Amino acid sequence: MGKALIDGHGRRITYVRISVTDRCNLRCLYCMPEDQKFRPMAHLLSREEIRRTARLFADFGIEKIRITGGEPTTRPDLVGIVSDLAAIGFPGGIALSTNGVLFPRMAHDLLAAGLTKVNVSLDAAEAEHFRKMTRRDHFQPVLDSIALALSLPFDSVKINAVVIRGLNDDQILPLAAMTKDKKLGVRFIEFMPFGDNDWKETDWVGWSEVWDRLAASGYVLTPIEKTLVAGPADEYSVTSPAGVHTGSVGFITPVSDRFCDTCNRMRLTQDGFLKGCLFGHADVDLLKPMRAGATDEDLRVLVSRAAAIKEERHPMFVGMNKSTLPLHARNMSEIGG
Ligand code: SAM
Ligand code: SF4
């Protein structure tokens, strides 16, 4: 390992989320408009460019990589990308965020290639709610995907659910109940405003309301200690009137409880920008220099610069007004959630 990657605010970066595509086979209301325009394929990082950048990350002591998008499983060389990352070696593992639609076709190959953790987005435990949230009818394949992932020896399988009032807030309990007999983590994510989504304060459901609704139904949550390479979720073991749950419940609280002080992550967009903050504008282009013949040393300087200018905190807070936030022009799917 070379020098550790420390940002301009003294935080050590140990976790990089690599977006491998901006394309997707769902159109979740909160993430991507129906008519989303995609970048030309030639503007996306190639498998080799991802491998080269990941090697530099490993030299900087990055411990964990998450592959995200868009929908990573729409990329034909995904298994190859995972095996490249596994060959480089990241002690905190290689995780995948997926919507689960195509995952069953490649789950065994991804496991064999070295994937260690799987997060599936699922905002509803009922088909009709799923269709409303994703604008597509792929509920059953996603459920099958979760069952398959749980049957394979991944280190962890989690569900991510964005909660939106009036759309899926009645799914909080059914989703939490999925943890009863399965070693499944269900994490509730606060809805965040992006360029094209229709975020409204009145639709937003904070983590404490989710907590209260679980508590009102007899759920008791006990904190689970975080590791150094853990993501932003606060996770809890669960007991409910049904008994002790095998799985866990978690909250990702970017709006109501900013976790910026302990932020350990950066993001590589599918078109090769290294971003300090999901909502930041201080991005450093690695792809253009790479294609113009930059040496590894040149790229190391750029990675260090991206860390140095990483924003101290994002601009969201409870009671914010979307129209006055300095939001990124990109949607979540174009950044890599
Ligand atoms: N397609 C994959 C998936 O859905 O898991 C990976 C990419 S997706 C952009 C990554 C995560 O971002 C998902 O868990 C999704 O729910 C979350 N996400 C997207 N837009 C969001 C928003 N506006 N607020 C909160 N979370 C969001
Ligand atoms: Fe696609 Fe994931 Fe965005 Fe949904 S959240 S539109 S599945 S990228």
Side-chain angles (χ1 to χ4, degrees):
M1 178 181 133
K3 236 172 38 174
L5 191 59
I6 310 287
D7 79 3
H9 308 281
R11 298 168 297 197
R12 183 172 160 219
I13 309 300
T14 54
Y15 176 17
V16 176
R17 301 172 69 105
I18 300 180
S19 172
V20 296
T21 182
D22 55 352
R23 284 151 173 81
C24 189
N25 42 5
L26 299 182
R27 290 289 182 280
C28 301
L29 291 173
Y30 47 78
C31 180
M32 195 190 275
E34 188 63 80
D35 60 350
Q36 175 77 42
K37 301 278 177 293
F38 299 115
R39 291 182 166 69
M41 293 301 280
H43 293 192
L44 305 191
L45 289 162
S46 68
R47 173 176 167 186
E48 176 50 26
E49 287 159 348
I50 292 171
R51 192 183 68 84
R52 185 172 176 205
T53 321
R55 251 192 16 237
L56 296 175
F57 294 149
D59 286 348
F60 273 112
I62 297 303
E63 295 177 1
K64 176 176 165 186
I65 297 283
R66 172 171 301 280
I67 301 172
T68 181
E71 176 48 39
T73 57
T74 61
R75 187 154 167 155
D77 54 0
L78 181 63
V79 172
I81 292 171
V82 170
S83 66
D84 292 345
L85 297 173
I88 294 168
F90 291 92
I94 297 158
L96 174 72
S97 287
T98 175
N99 62 29
V101 175
L102 298 174
F103 177 78
R105 297 183 193 175
M106 57 193 86
H108 289 89
D109 290 343
L110 288 170
L111 179 70
L115 188 71
T116 57
K117 298 180 171 109
V118 182
N119 286 15
V120 180
S121 286
L122 179 70
D123 307 314
E126 289 163 37
E128 184 51 24
H129 284 73
F130 179 91
R131 197 190 53 72
K132 265 196 230 147
M133 295 295 279
T134 64
R135 302 191 186 101
R136 296 291 184 272
D137 271 322
H138 295 313
F139 181 58
Q140 194 54 47
V142 177
L143 287 190
D144 295 346
S145 197
I146 294 163
L148 176 59
L150 284 167
S151 74
L152 296 174
F154 290 112
D155 292 350
S156 75
V157 179
K158 293 179 182 166
I159 288 178
N160 288 340
V162 177
V163 184
I164 302 183
R165 196 179 309 286
L167 274 176
N168 71 334
D169 56 328
D170 59 349
Q171 298 293 295
I172 293 170
L173 277 168
L175 285 167
M178 289 174 72
T179 64
K180 172 66 182 65
D181 299 314
K182 301 185 180 81
K183 203 165 173 292
L184 182 63
V186 171
R187 291 116 51 91
F188 297 101
I189 308 180
E190 289 177 348
F191 180 26
M192 294 182 277
F194 282 94
D196 278 339
N197 76 15
D198 187 21
W199 188 93
K200 286 193 219 65
E201 191 179 356
T202 44
D203 296 345
W204 180 80
V205 180
W207 77 273
S208 59
E209 182 176 338
V210 178
W211 176 290
D212 288 347
R213 291 209 203 177
L214 292 172
S217 297
Y219 276 67
V220 177
L221 306 182
T222 310
I224 300 171
E225 209 176 311
K226 273 194 177 191
T227 61
L228 180 65
V229 291
D234 289 321
E235 302 200 337
Y236 298 83
S237 56
V238 184
T239 50
S240 75
V244 176
H245 288 217
T246 309
S248 62
V249 162
F251 301 96
I252 302 183
T253 61
V255 179
S256 65
D257 184 13
R258 292 198 252 186
F259 34 74
C260 303
D261 290 352
T262 55
C263 184
N264 59 354
R265 72 205 74 103
M266 294 186 75
R267 294 179 152 83
L268 183 64
T269 65
Q270 65 289 134
D271 54 341
F273 285 86
L274 192 55
K275 284 185 79 59
C277 177
L278 189 52
F279 290 89
H281 297 80
D283 307 344
V284 173
D285 190 354
L286 300 182
L287 185 57
K288 242 187 253 104
M290 236 187 303
R291 290 188 181 172
T295 64
D296 282 357
E297 191 42 41
D298 298 334
L299 293 174
R300 265 191 277 277
V301 170
L302 292 173
V303 171
S304 297
R305 181 182 307 155
I309 61 176
K310 177 173 157 67
E311 288 83 351
E312 188 173 8
R313 53 197 310 141
H314 69 64
M316 296 182 296
F317 56 93
V318 178
M320 64 193 161
N321 174 349
K322 184 182 176 190
S323 65
T324 60
L325 288 181
L327 290 182
H328 211 284
R330 291 178 177 227
N331 289 317
M332 182 72 138
S333 60
E334 300 171 272
I335 300 171

